[in-house]
Amino acid sequence: MMRLSLVVVVLMACVACAGSEENLRPGPYVGLALVGAGSTFDNFKGVDEDLDDGAGSPGIQAMLGYQMWDRAAVELVYEGGMSFEGSDTDIDINTLMAQGKLFLGVLRGEAFQPYLLGGLGWEWVSASGASRMDEGGLAARAGFGLQYYITEHLPVFLEYAHTIGLGEDVDDFHYGGLKLGIMYRW
């Protein structure tokens, strides 16, 4: 019972800190997230195998960003470590994106901030196993998310984004990623 009371007090203190006007300030931030990715490709050029649509893989995301004002931010985002496995071939995907966030407003003081995101960048795809390839090309990303300020310097976020390959060599490689992460804001 004592532990539960302590947890409740700590959570209430975090919620009380989270409503600060400071959450809306401009400034730089860094972030790290775990990614749960699901493929939306089932056959593709250069690989002599079909993968099941929805094959999943864990991954990681790292970001460097700047919140320009209370409604917008820009980020440089690396996402990788995702390996989609087929019966004879493994597909590894990494992306580097410049993306923007548009905050839709604030909920409950300034603690919750829903947002939309979109970006453009580069996708690298490599296949190993029965089929081999190593290609790169233009890619785009769109999604939505919600960030919650634990303190004025530590927001956590839950986000979904879909990445599609646009370049000729990567246009068959699309995936969706659910991300859970934390940021540090100066």
Side-chain angles (χ1 to χ4, degrees), residues 35 37-41 79-80 82 84 93-95 97 123 141 160-165 173-177 179:
V35 178
S39 72
T40 57
F41 47 84
E79 196 167 279
M82 294 156 306
F84 302 98
I93 297 180
N94 295 284
T95 61
M97 295 272 174
E123 180 177 59
R141 175 176 294 150
Y160 175 81
H162 196 82
T163 303
I164 59 171
F173 300 96
H174 308 274
Y175 68 93
K179 298 136 184 150

Side-chain angles (χ1 to χ4, degrees), residues 72-90:
V74 293
E75 299 175 338
L76 183 61
V77 178
Y78 167 78
E79 196 167 279
M82 294 156 306
S83 182
F84 302 98
E85 298 179 9
S87 58
D88 297 322
T89 304
D90 293 340

Side-chain angles (χ1 to χ4, degrees), residues 45 49 57 59 89 93 95 113 116 127 130 133 141 153 162 168:
K45 300 182 284 282
E49 179 182 351
S57 173
T89 304
I93 297 180
T95 61
Q113 292 181 322
L116 300 174
M133 68 176 284
R141 175 176 294 150
H153 296 287
H162 196 82
E168 184 178 335

